[in-house]
Amino acid sequence: FDAWWEILLVSFVLGAVLGRYSAGFVGWINGPGASQLFGILCLPVALVLDAAIYRLIGNTPGKSLLGLKVGRLDALPLSFSQYLGRNISMWVSGFALGFPLVNLFTMAYQSGRLGKGQQASYDESTGYRVRAKPIGWMRKSVFGVAFFGLFVVMAVLNSIEQAAQRDAILSSAS
């Protein structure tokens, strides 16, 4: 959840800045598959944003809603550099650098570890722990609505992009 909304925010901000100041970027981003590649390239930047939010606020919105907290073994919060290091490890061994399909296998592997009561490999290797506290139906409902809303926004943006690409192909063929 956090990675999704952070990638969305980073891609909008970077896209707006690069679109304003780089004609080459505008030409590239309108090409086939460029927006998906741009999203993959925005993932590491989003993970830096994630670490900054964790350090400034003490948690990320998704983890907070779900009652999750990442910390050290002694339950102290991570520093910015520790959380960023965790995110980089998660980017590699959890998200497979953002590569589609490959990341399904790495996420399934990490999920399998969690299902067996183990830590994710990127937490186990660093000694960090994700602690969970019980949450009520209200927080679960708010998270569900937020997750569904974010999913709808992503789906709508994807369909708008696909329609624009179809229109561009049709207009260039005419």
Side-chain angles (χ1 to χ4, degrees):
F1 175 81
D2 288 324
W4 265 14
W5 75 261
E6 290 161 348
I7 290 170
L8 190 61
L9 177 64
V10 166
S11 64
F12 271 123
V13 171
L14 281 178
V17 170
L18 292 171
R20 178 166 173 84
Y21 297 108
S22 173
F25 174 78
V26 173
W28 174 76
I29 198 70
N30 288 319
S35 63
Q36 287 84 6
L37 179 58
F38 184 61
I40 291 170
L41 295 173
C42 286
L43 178 56
V45 180
L47 294 175
V48 172
L49 173 64
D50 186 68
I53 289 169
Y54 171 85
R55 196 61 199 142
L56 291 172
I57 300 172
N59 210 351
T60 59
K63 287 182 193 68
S64 182
L65 280 172
L66 293 174
L68 302 173
K69 184 80 172 178
V70 178
R72 299 184 334 194
L73 289 176
D74 58 8
L76 291 173
L78 277 59
S79 68
F80 173 79
S81 61
Q82 288 172 321
Y83 200 89
L84 182 59
R86 176 190 186 265
N87 278 356
I88 291 168
S89 294
M90 181 178 59
W91 178 50
V92 174
S93 60
F95 290 144
L97 305 174
F99 288 110
L101 299 179
V102 177
N103 62 9
L104 293 177
F105 293 103
T106 57
M107 286 190 274
Y109 171 73
Q110 299 299 341
S111 177
R113 288 180 58 89
L114 296 174
K116 295 175 191 170
Q118 299 173 322
Q119 293 289 319
S121 64
Y122 45 84
D123 286 328
E124 185 176 67
S125 65
T126 57
Y128 304 143
R129 294 291 176 257
V130 178
R131 292 174 173 80
K133 65 179 182 180
I135 60 171
W137 66 269
M138 181 62 116
R139 284 173 73 172
K140 288 178 186 175
S141 299
V142 169
F143 179 81
V145 168
F147 187 87
F148 181 74
L150 184 56
F151 180 79
V152 168
V153 166
M154 300 283 272
V156 167
L157 290 172
N158 192 37
S159 67
I160 290 170
E161 176 197 3
Q162 287 177 353
Q165 286 182 354
R166 273 193 306 272
D167 291 346
I169 290 169
L170 290 175
S171 66
S172 67
S174 312

